[in-house]
Amino acid sequence: EFCYLTHKTRGVRRGGAAAVDLAFVASGKVDGFWERGLEVWDIAAGAIIVYESGGVISNYPKGELDLNSGRILACSPTIEDELKRELDKVIPLNKNFYT
């Protein structure tokens, strides 16, 4: 996903902390953020901040946010559909990774 989107966009950054990345989405410093393998505490507060700032929060590649899934997609509403479409095109190296 990281490599794929790096080639499809003007750049992908990874700050290392989901809370910081979500705050950047909420503030408009970055357009979107996606991650998997997170814990509830990585997602919960940041998701509220993005939502309250007018951003979109969901699971990815599909579905509503599920704190226990470990996956999150946060972005501006203007790129939500395109970002989900592009992430959906990526075939995981390990097909059991999403389960």
Side-chain angles (χ1 to χ4, degrees):
E1 294 164 345
F2 187 86
C3 291
Y4 178 80
L5 285 180
T6 297
H7 293 286
K8 298 289 285 185
T9 65
R10 291 185 178 175
V12 175
R13 300 188 121 175
R14 181 65 186 116
V20 172
D21 293 324
L22 290 167
F24 283 170
V25 171
S27 71
K29 289 183 180 182
V30 298
D31 295 319
F33 169 73
W34 82 98
E35 187 64 82
R36 61 179 181 254
L38 296 172
E39 297 292 339
V40 172
W41 53 83
D42 295 321
I43 298 173
I48 292 170
I49 293 168
V50 171
Y51 176 78
E52 290 295 323
S53 72
V56 175
I57 297 290
S58 67
N59 265 4
Y60 87 92
K62 298 176 176 129
E64 293 184 13
L65 180 64
D66 174 2
L67 292 175
N68 295 311
S69 73
R71 293 188 303 269
I72 188 170
L73 175 100
C75 61
S76 67
T78 57
I79 67 165
E80 177 187 18
D81 292 337
E82 184 176 7
L83 187 53
K84 283 182 177 181
R85 254 191 327 274
E86 292 301 322
L87 284 168
D88 199 36
K89 291 178 184 178
V90 180
I91 299 169
L93 295 175
N94 177 353
K95 294 184 185 211
N96 295 323
F97 195 85
Y98 287 115
T99 58

